[in-house]
Amino acid sequence: MSIQLSSHFTYKKLFYFCLSPIIMMIFTSIYGVVDGFFVSNFVGKVPFAAVNLVMPFIMILGGVGFMIGTGGSALIAKTLGEGKQEQANCYFTMLIKLTVVLGIFLSLAGILFIRPISYLLGATEAMIENCVVYGRIVLAFNTAFMLQNVFQTFLAAAEKPKLGLAVTTAAGVSNMILDALFIGVFQWGVAGAAIATGIGQCIGGLLPLIYFSRPNSSRLRLKKSGIDGRALAKACANGASELMSNISASLISVIYNLQLLRFAGENGVAAYGTIMYIQFIFLAIFIGYTIGTGPIISYHYGAGNHRELKNLLKKSLILVSAAGIAMMAVAWALSSPLSKVFVGYDKELFEMTKHAFRMFAFSFVLAGVNIFASAFFTALNNGGVSAAISFMRTLVFQIISVLVLPIFLGLDGIWYSITVAEVLAFGVSLIFLVLNRRKYHYG
């Protein structure tokens, strides 16, 4: 089925266009999951906890690429909707150059400061060396990771979501095979996990770069261009909500880990790490859907097609709501086997993880609506509203919940925190959707 950004989207067309980005994001989430599985089962729970502890910092740096990709994709798709093909290619080229420059700088800074940052994140003496080894190796590949995050959204804007799926699948499969080889066979420990992840990221980031550098059949290609500081600033500001989500999630992980060390020790950190791996696979479905729908919304916004905006919003809210309910049921049902995959070797840790994951499962009901609402305003080039939803959802409400609820509920208060935060964020999302319905004519 041939689908263009300018099409009228039925449920069937939305499914076909967004299927590739959804699967692509699931494979992206496999990086951390596979690393976690092999480190936990072949190296031990202390190295597993160390990887979980340093991961938030790595994700913040890589999240800069997601910011450029989402904000830039919205700008490019809107420009395409306005009929300005050459200008869209110029924006595309500038944003790729910006990603490379920032990637190199952040890689060097991260490698230099990974040890003190690991201590700041709460690393114990038993964990610190694993934190440093894993962090430095993965950060050496940070530019490729940022490019991969950028191209995930740009390939959808270029009407090539299936190419994005193929590249990410190749990257994910490579990561899984190399993890098994480097950790299971060569016994390289956390270093092997980091190298496998880095090679996978190179496949995901560099292959699309080669594709767009050559003549191709997509709507975008790299070309000579100057620097439009205003456009770059606009794209980055618009994508700031996605960066905020990454930063907030990473900061929240730090607070969760500190609270868990206090209430449950290293077992709590390991249990939380397992849940985060599994949760990201579930949330990847929502994120993939927003990657697919974002350029479509931006295109029709740029083209002034208000009826299609209303159609996309209505259908999307129905789809993500239904998916959220289904995910809650699946997560509850699979809490035991999924926990056993990671920590089945330790009965106490397994029981804690299974119990916690069942509590986390309730958050999926509203998570999809909140993620889509933030992405919807990013696609409309309204980074302020998008950032407000994201900031309240991923930072403010979660901080309040994870600090207050344990006072009354103990360890269970930590596990319930994310669900309470999603409920509060749902109210904020609805308010913004109602207040802006006339401005964007989707009411």
Side-chain angles (χ1 to χ4, degrees):
M1 178 184 291
S2 178
I3 304 174
Q4 297 179 326
L5 296 178
S6 57
S7 300
H8 166 68
F9 280 81
T10 60
Y11 284 109
K12 184 177 181 180
K13 285 187 176 181
L14 275 174
F15 174 79
Y16 275 105
F17 194 84
C18 295
L19 181 61
S20 293
I22 288 172
I23 298 175
M24 179 174 66
M25 281 305 302
I26 291 174
F27 267 98
T28 300
S29 69
I30 286 175
Y31 288 145
V33 173
V34 173
D35 281 0
F37 169 79
F38 279 99
V39 171
S40 179
N41 285 276
F42 288 87
V43 188
K45 67 181 181 182
V46 173
F48 179 52
V51 171
N52 294 333
L53 201 71
V54 77
M55 187 62 70
F57 176 64
I58 295 171
M59 295 307 294
I60 287 176
L61 299 190
V64 174
F66 201 52
M67 172 193 72
I68 296 172
T70 52
S73 175
L75 177 63
I76 291 167
K78 177 176 177 289
T79 304
L80 289 172
E82 294 168 345
K84 303 173 183 176
Q85 178 68 52
E86 286 303 308
Q87 189 175 23
N89 282 329
C90 287
Y91 289 158
F92 173 67
T93 304
M94 287 190 298
L95 290 164
I96 296 301
K97 290 179 179 178
L98 176 65
T99 303
V100 172
V101 172
L102 286 178
I104 294 172
F105 171 77
L106 293 174
S107 294
L108 294 175
I111 291 171
L112 181 63
F113 293 107
I114 188 63
R115 184 176 293 274
I117 286 172
S118 297
Y119 278 122
L120 184 65
L121 294 175
T124 63
E125 289 303 319
M127 298 162 64
I128 187 62
E129 292 306 321
N130 285 311
C131 288
V132 172
V133 169
Y134 185 84
R136 282 180 173 166
I137 294 174
V138 170
L139 288 171
F141 296 94
N142 185 61
T143 303
F145 184 36
M146 286 175 59
L147 283 171
Q148 180 178 356
N149 288 336
V150 165
F151 285 124
Q152 283 174 344
T153 54
F154 283 176
L155 282 165
E159 298 178 347
K160 291 292 181 180
K162 290 184 179 179
L163 176 60
L165 172 60
V167 170
T168 307
T169 300
V173 171
S174 299
N175 184 44
M176 287 188 283
I177 294 173
L178 293 175
D179 264 328
L181 181 64
F182 295 162
I183 302 174
V185 179
F186 295 166
Q187 297 184 352
W188 289 353
V190 295
I195 295 170
T197 293
I199 293 174
Q201 290 168 350
C202 285
I203 294 172
L206 299 182
L207 288 184
L209 183 64
I210 295 171
Y211 172 79
F212 284 113
S213 299
R214 301 169 59 84
N216 62 77
S217 60
S218 78
R219 298 197 64 165
L220 298 174
R221 57 184 50 84
L222 295 171
K223 57 174 292 181
K224 291 183 179 180
S225 68
I227 300 296
D228 186 340
R230 179 177 295 181
L232 291 177
K234 183 177 181 180
C236 291
N238 189 36
S241 59
E242 278 64 33
L243 178 60
M244 174 60 66
S245 295
N246 277 276
I247 294 175
S248 299
S250 299
L251 292 175
I252 286 298
S253 294
V254 173
I255 296 174
Y256 267 87
N257 285 331
L258 291 175
Q259 285 283 75
L260 286 164
L261 283 170
R262 176 186 171 192
F263 282 89
E266 291 177 349
N267 271 4
V269 176
Y272 178 68
T274 300
I275 294 168
M276 288 300 98
Y277 286 135
I278 301 170
Q279 182 200 38
F280 189 47
I281 294 177
F282 281 78
L283 295 185
I285 296 173
F286 295 131
I287 297 171
Y289 183 79
T290 64
I291 289 175
T293 55
I296 303 170
I297 294 167
S298 298
Y299 183 93
H300 286 286
Y301 172 57
N305 191 347
H306 303 143
R307 180 174 294 182
E308 188 62 21
L309 280 181
K310 181 178 180 179
N311 170 61
L312 289 165
L313 176 61
K314 178 182 177 181
K315 284 183 169 60
S316 294
L317 289 177
I318 291 172
L319 287 171
V320 296
S321 297
I325 295 171
M327 285 184 201
M328 180 197 68
V330 171
W332 183 275
L334 297 181
S335 59
S336 181
L338 288 175
S339 299
K340 187 171 292 186
V341 167
F342 288 89
V343 294
Y345 55 83
D346 187 311
K347 184 177 180 181
E348 180 184 356
L349 179 55
F350 165 72
E351 292 297 333
M352 177 187 292
T353 304
K354 180 178 69 173
H355 175 70
F357 190 46
R358 286 182 173 176
M359 295 182 179
F360 262 70
F362 294 109
S363 67
F364 296 135
V365 175
L366 296 176
V369 175
N370 293 326
I371 290 171
F372 176 77
S374 177
F376 181 69
F377 286 104
T378 296
L380 294 175
N381 286 259
N382 190 333
V385 171
S386 178
I389 295 173
S390 179
F391 179 72
M392 299 300 289
R393 171 182 173 262
T394 59
L395 188 62
V396 175
F397 293 145
Q398 286 209 53
I399 287 178
I400 294 172
S401 298
V402 78
L403 293 179
V404 174
L405 291 181
I407 297 174
F408 304 99
L409 301 176
L411 181 59
D412 280 354
I414 299 177
W415 306 134
Y416 277 124
S417 296
I418 189 169
T419 300
V420 173
E422 293 290 2
V423 172
L424 296 173
F426 178 69
V428 173
S429 298
L430 285 182
I431 290 171
F432 278 119
L433 285 170
V434 171
L435 291 178
N436 287 278
R437 67 190 188 283
R438 291 184 179 177
K439 179 179 179 180
Y440 295 106
H441 307 285
Y442 56 72

